Amino acid sequence: MSGIRPTGYLHLGNYFGAMRNYVRMQDEYPCFFMVADLHSLTTHPDTRALSESVRRVLAENIACGLDPEKVALYCQSHVPETTELYLYFNMLAYKGELEKTTTFKDKARLQPDNINVGLLTYPVLQAADILLHRAHLVPVGKDQEQHLEMSRNFAQRFNHRYGEVFPEPQAFNYGQELVKVPSLDGAGKMSKSENQNATLYLADDDETIRKKLMKAKTDAGPTEPNQPKPDYIDNLFSLMRLVSSSEVVAEFEEAYTGCTIRYGDMKKQLAEDMVRFISPIRERAAAIHQDDAYLKKVMQIGAEKARESASKTMVQVRAAMGLNYY
Ligand code: ADP
């Protein structure tokens, strides 16, 4: 189970941190993937663009290879059981632990005039999303590690107080460790709403991709063989490993080690490989996005599957809590 907020265009971080894993998981597990529209209200209270964003995120997920027939692909607000479970978990969550969450502190700093309680209880809603389907594996990027730990805490507390209902969900990735796709300026991660010039979006046109990559920070190059790479150079190599062939990566690694690397050439190669990676996704997403009838059907079928699973869990939850009076 996992979700992505409809707060902007999806980017390379969403793809490699989350969606690439979704696509592989759909053939191995029963899966629930959602567009987290309720979560987006914590930072984007203006709902005028929401409908458009929800449809775009759905289209982008499908364009990346997610098959709505294999998985439950749904919209969070279409599953009202989520908010019921969120309420119960709120009684198991403590103000102190929520205030200490890194993402809360970061977001509160970014929007000092709107430190709403939804922002504070974001990890509680996320725990409800996950545990509503009693999910074991949650494909997410590295930034979500702490939230998953909180989900496990809420599950444990519930089980301890009311009896065993929930598994302890784990952050999941097919590689060795969780992924963080860095931003092109070397300051933080690629993100939907911050740092837009240093983020590569799946909707960027070819020229924009080339321009953003050519502007990525570099320096005069290594001066001694086997010199450790500065962060921003390491980031370029990380991006290259994601989209270029292993031969190309090896060639530039060798040039780095031998101090013959030309970053202009490296960025040009990376830009071409990136264009080859992003452009088919962009084109597929644009076509799906135009098909309103299809997206409506996807949402309806997804909501049905998600509600079926959610209502089964909620029967168990209410029984465990003793909220069944007759
Ligand atoms: P954003 O931070 O861009 O608003 P979300 O909060 O909607 O994205 O996160 C959706 C998914 O994408 C989560 O699983 C998150 O861990 C992952 N993700 C977001 N940014 C990155 C990144 N730069 N690198 C790796 N994974 C990321």
Side-chain angles (χ1 to χ4, degrees):
M1 194 286 148
S2 195
I4 296 188
R5 295 182 305 152
T7 48
Y9 288 94
L10 298 194
H11 52 80
L12 225 51
N14 298 133
Y15 182 86
F16 286 106
M19 272 140 61
R20 180 173 59 165
N21 293 306
Y22 300 2
V23 172
R24 227 172 120 181
M25 287 176 95
Q26 70 183 343
D27 292 317
E28 297 176 26
Y29 303 95
C31 294
F32 295 86
F33 297 119
M34 63 156 192
V35 183
D37 57 337
L38 299 177
H39 281 288
S40 72
L41 300 177
T42 58
T43 51
H44 294 63
D46 185 345
T47 51
R48 275 173 296 187
L50 199 54
S51 161
E52 182 63 11
S53 292
V54 165
R55 288 185 306 114
R56 199 177 50 229
V57 172
L58 281 171
E60 287 183 319
N61 269 284
I62 299 167
C64 287
L66 213 58
D67 179 350
E69 293 196 7
K70 285 188 192 159
V71 305
L73 178 59
Y74 64 100
C75 185
Q76 186 184 25
S77 62
H78 291 164
V79 183
E81 290 81 356
T82 310
T83 44
E84 184 185 348
L85 190 56
Y86 168 58
L87 178 83
Y88 302 148
F89 283 166
N90 268 319
M91 317 306 182
L92 297 167
Y94 299 107
K95 178 173 159 274
E97 65 185 336
L98 295 172
E99 279 170 345
K100 273 192 265 165
T101 315
T102 313
T103 45
F104 170 69
K105 289 194 282 192
D106 288 348
K107 285 180 180 159
R109 211 175 304 124
L110 285 173
Q111 53 183 65
D113 298 329
N114 181 19
I115 307 178
N116 58 78
V117 176
L119 206 55
L120 183 68
T121 57
Y122 192 109
V124 186
L125 181 55
Q126 187 171 338
D129 297 326
I130 296 167
L131 293 168
L132 194 57
H133 304 297
R134 282 170 288 167
H136 293 79
L137 301 179
V138 185
V140 283
K142 193 157 178 55
D143 55 320
Q144 293 291 327
E145 220 165 18
Q146 191 182 26
H147 288 174
L148 261 292
E149 194 184 325
M150 297 177 84
S151 288
R152 285 194 289 281
N153 289 340
F154 302 142
Q156 272 170 10
R157 276 178 220 164
F158 184 98
N159 291 347
H160 182 69
R161 192 168 294 175
Y162 300 114
E164 199 74 21
V165 173
F166 297 114
E168 290 181 22
Q170 307 290 332
F172 178 78
N173 177 53
Y174 278 101
Q176 296 291 334
E177 48 188 50
L178 297 182
V179 173
K180 174 186 162 189
V181 179
S183 63
L184 296 172
D185 59 5
K189 61 164 199 142
M190 288 197 184
S191 149
K192 278 199 234 91
S193 25
E194 302 147 40
N195 236 352
Q196 301 196 342
N197 286 326
T199 294
L200 289 166
Y201 295 94
L202 300 179
D204 279 345
D205 62 44
D206 296 353
E207 267 328 289
T208 307
I209 297 169
R210 290 191 183 104
K211 262 196 213 133
K212 284 183 179 174
L213 277 171
M214 292 317 285
K215 274 199 216 134
K217 182 173 171 182
T218 51
D219 54 29
T223 47
E224 288 167 34
N226 294 315
Q227 204 170 302
K229 296 186 186 98
D231 283 355
Y232 46 91
I233 297 298
D234 201 34
N235 290 348
L236 283 183
F237 274 97
S238 301
L239 288 176
M240 197 167 228
R241 277 191 289 275
L242 294 174
V243 295
S244 303
S245 70
S246 49
E247 292 79 26
V248 164
V249 177
E251 183 191 318
F252 284 97
E253 285 283 6
E254 215 172 285
Y256 184 87
T257 312
C259 299
T260 55
I261 192 159
R262 290 161 54 150
Y263 289 132
D265 291 348
M266 180 181 181
K267 290 199 277 189
K268 255 188 224 146
Q269 174 75 47
L270 179 56
E272 288 323 303
D273 291 339
M274 194 60 79
V275 163
R276 202 168 320 117
F277 176 79
I278 289 181
S279 62
I281 299 179
R282 179 188 66 226
E283 279 154 28
R284 276 198 301 274
I288 298 167
H289 189 192
Q290 299 211 324
D291 194 343
D292 281 342
Y294 171 68
L295 287 175
K296 184 175 169 195
K297 211 169 100 209
V298 166
M299 280 189 263
Q300 282 171 336
I301 293 172
E304 258 169 48
K305 291 187 201 167
R307 290 201 70 185
E308 192 188 332
S309 150
S311 60
K312 280 188 197 144
T313 302
M314 292 316 292
V315 168
Q316 283 199 33
V317 166
R318 292 180 207 116
M321 293 179 78
L323 297 174
N324 46 351
Y325 305 132
Y326 53 86

